[in-house]
Amino acid sequence: MYLYNSVILLIISSVLYLYWYLKKTYSFFEQHGIPYIKPTFVFGNLTDVILLRKSMAEAFADLYKSLEPHKFAGIYAGTKPMIMIRDPELLKDILIKDFAYFSDRGFNVDQTLEPLSYNLFLMKGDEWRNLRMKLTTTFTTGKMKMMFPLVQRCAEKFQKVIDNTPSHESIDIKDLAARYTTDVIGSCAFGLDTNSLENPDSEFRMMGKKLLQFRFRSLLRFLQLNIPAKLIKLFNITLVDVKYQNFFGETVYKTIDYREKNNVVRKDLLDLLIGLKSEKSSDLPKDATEQEDLQKFLDGVGGDKDGKNNLKITDELLAAQALLFFLAGFETSSTNLCYVLFELSQNEHIQDKVRQEINDVISANDGQLNYDVLKQMTYVDMVIEESLRKYPPLSILSRRTSQNYKIRDSDVVIPAETSIIVSVYGIHSDEKYYDNPQEFRPERFTEEEKSKRPNFTYLPFGEGPRYCIGARFAKLNVKMGLIYALRNFSYQVSPKMKFPIEFDKNFGLLAPSNSVLIQREKLNDY
């Protein structure tokens, strides 16, 4: 009887404690005078995400819409409070003007658990600032010109695979674009001929797919739920499966060792990283564009280029950056290229206009194609930008306050260590900024139309000092793939294509989960 009563008392006490804890947790926004959406028990406002009924991109975009007309409001990821920012002026404050309060993305990583997590995306504070300064010279215009031949060789192979596909046979452009970007990143970041275009089952391609395959543990970690550190270690709740991280890490270590021992120079990203380690590459910029990039960064974070930078460059640090370049460049670029070709397959008049510009520009430059010639293809840029608007690969931005912060034109003070969330997909689909947002219309990105929109309503690569350092490389990757895909072929959507496109439920990336099927028809050679 005593044991029975003790068990009953323990159960009642546990239930009462849980009720008290949740009531206290879910009163956060009331205590701070912040409007919010009423949460559901335990799941907060992300029930559909946690139960895998909806992609993270769509769920946050739905929350964004439901919070109209508030400029900012609260949501709960499980029991974790987050403040969603919806106003362009407030976004400017957080991403640029008051960046010192919001310099961290808010992810806590354990290097012993995730050895390759020590990368630019996840790093914080002075370590992030110092590494970002060192990497400023990595993706400048000069470096893009240097790597152009590597990308071009992959684009030529991409074209060859399309050429070898029979007319009216369905092409899974999601898979083919991923094989192309795998080869580009493999070549430029790892110095390897990964051969994914010729061999879809190549080891590098398979490892890349596994690296980003859905894991419920990864989803929970990405949502930044309040999971105790001990449980994260116990259940191995990592962002990326460690055994696949190790594959890429070992690849980098072997390549670095071989190049250093044999004085191999390949003019790729890994060469630039090795240069940082050996101090052959000066911390100071070497040309006008590098100087401009560095100064823009320093203006955002404060300090000067001659300040102390004691960050030690190790092979492990380089491997972490190479893995980041792969993760950031492979999936985001492939989905962007996939969506561009999918939209062009549905909009023949836009497709014809793009193809005409490509061939006119190349003809006007005596058949030559180089980095400077690419800049003349302005309509191609508009098409890529419109695709990034309609389908932003990174659908959300996250930040965390380092100290108490008062929101402009309000009495609200955000407590230190509070998570901030921005729905890029929500903003890009907002009719206040983009009329008929589901329409694919590249003319939205003429200089005249862009000038009519508020700043901070187009954020495919973020903004401010945390702006994606590889944006130039991503655009080069996609633009070259598009040029070689379109010059001699026209495209239509395959009759086998299943609508609507469904989105992946992993990592907040707006990637299609189903096949994207198109057909090609060969045109007369130009």
Side-chain angles (χ1 to χ4, degrees), residues 72-350:
F72 62 93
I75 61 172
Y76 289 96
T79 59
K80 186 182 182 70
M82 292 179 165
I83 297 177
M84 181 174 283
I85 305 297
R86 305 182 69 260
D87 176 69
E89 288 300 315
L90 292 183
L91 284 172
K92 179 180 179 180
D93 290 346
I94 286 168
L95 299 177
I96 294 184
K97 181 173 173 288
D98 298 321
F99 176 78
Y101 290 84
F102 302 97
S103 62
D104 295 340
R105 297 190 189 274
F107 291 99
N108 295 317
V109 292
D110 183 342
Q111 283 181 254
T112 61
L113 183 64
E114 299 177 82
L116 296 187
S117 62
Y118 196 53
N119 62 54
L120 193 64
F121 187 86
L122 298 175
M123 288 171 75
K124 305 175 184 178
D126 287 341
E127 289 183 319
W128 163 77
R129 180 183 181 279
N130 291 341
L131 181 60
R132 178 64 175 76
M133 283 181 65
K134 284 181 176 290
L135 291 176
T136 295
T137 62
T138 306
F139 292 99
T140 59
T141 299
K143 300 306 188 297
M144 294 304 98
K145 290 180 179 180
M146 186 178 79
M147 286 184 280
F148 182 88
L150 299 176
V151 179
Q152 188 172 33
R153 281 198 286 273
C154 295
E156 288 168 349
K157 292 179 181 178
F158 182 54
Q159 183 188 53
K160 186 177 179 180
V161 173
I162 295 171
D163 194 22
N164 290 336
T165 304
S167 294
H168 305 299
E169 182 176 303
S170 294
I171 299 172
D172 184 353
I173 197 60
K174 172 192 170 186
D175 176 69
L176 184 57
R179 286 156 54 194
Y180 161 66
T181 57
T182 296
D183 280 356
V184 171
I185 300 295
S187 178
C188 294
F190 292 84
L192 300 173
D193 182 3
T194 57
N195 204 33
S196 300
L197 282 164
E198 291 90 346
N199 178 16
D201 297 322
S202 68
E203 183 181 29
F204 210 84
R205 169 68 179 135
M206 290 297 100
M207 285 296 179
K209 289 176 72 172
K210 290 176 180 177
L211 196 68
L212 288 168
Q213 69 186 1
F214 177 79
R215 297 166 71 238
F216 190 70
R217 286 173 292 181
S218 301
L219 179 65
L220 292 179
R221 190 67 184 280
F222 192 84
L223 285 171
Q224 306 179 65
L225 302 179
N226 281 331
I227 303 173
K230 288 184 179 180
L231 288 182
I232 289 175
K233 275 193 173 184
L234 180 63
F235 293 105
N236 191 29
I237 307 175
T238 57
L239 281 169
V240 178
D241 195 308
V242 173
K243 68 180 175 183
Y244 302 126
Q245 288 188 46
N246 291 340
F247 167 81
F248 288 96
E250 287 301 317
T251 301
V252 173
Y253 301 146
K254 289 176 183 177
T255 306
I256 291 174
D257 183 62
Y258 177 81
R259 290 192 189 186
E260 289 180 335
K261 286 180 178 177
N262 296 278
N263 295 316
V264 173
V265 177
R266 198 169 177 271
K267 294 185 178 180
D268 57 15
L269 289 171
L270 197 55
D271 266 0
L272 299 175
L273 292 176
I274 293 171
L276 295 178
K277 175 190 170 189
S278 63
E279 298 184 353
K280 291 177 183 176
S281 172
S282 171
D283 286 347
L284 298 180
K286 299 178 181 62
D287 60 40
T289 59
E290 294 179 19
Q291 183 78 268
E292 182 182 339
D293 284 352
L294 180 56
Q295 194 56 55
K296 183 179 178 181
F297 173 71
L298 291 171
D299 289 343
V301 300
D304 60 81
K305 61 179 177 288
D306 299 316
K308 265 182 116 177
N309 192 332
N310 297 322
L311 184 69
K312 185 179 179 182
I313 305 295
T314 63
D315 286 355
E316 289 74 19
L317 185 68
L318 298 188
Q321 308 326 304
L323 178 61
L324 172 64
F325 296 159
F326 181 84
L327 285 169
F330 149 66
E331 182 74 4
T332 56
S333 295
S334 69
T335 55
N336 185 203
L337 180 56
C338 167
Y339 286 133
V340 171
L341 288 169
F342 173 65
E343 287 291 344
L344 294 183
S345 298
Q346 299 177 89
N347 296 278
E348 188 176 351
H349 65 291
I350 301 175

Side-chain angles (χ1 to χ4, degrees), residues 11 17 68 93 130 192 246 311 342 370 403 424 433 482:
I11 293 172
Y17 174 78
E68 184 71 33
D93 290 346
N130 291 341
L192 300 173
N246 291 340
L311 184 69
F342 173 65
N370 55 48
Q403 51 189 302
V424 176
Y433 312 124
L482 188 58

Side-chain angles (χ1 to χ4, degrees), residues 32-35 71-73 83 85 90 93 405-414:
H32 293 91
I34 299 171
K71 293 182 176 182
F72 62 93
I83 297 177
I85 305 297
L90 292 183
D93 290 346
Y405 177 79
K406 185 178 183 298
I407 294 181
R408 67 150 75 189
D409 303 324
S410 78
D411 296 324
V412 173
V413 175
I414 303 176

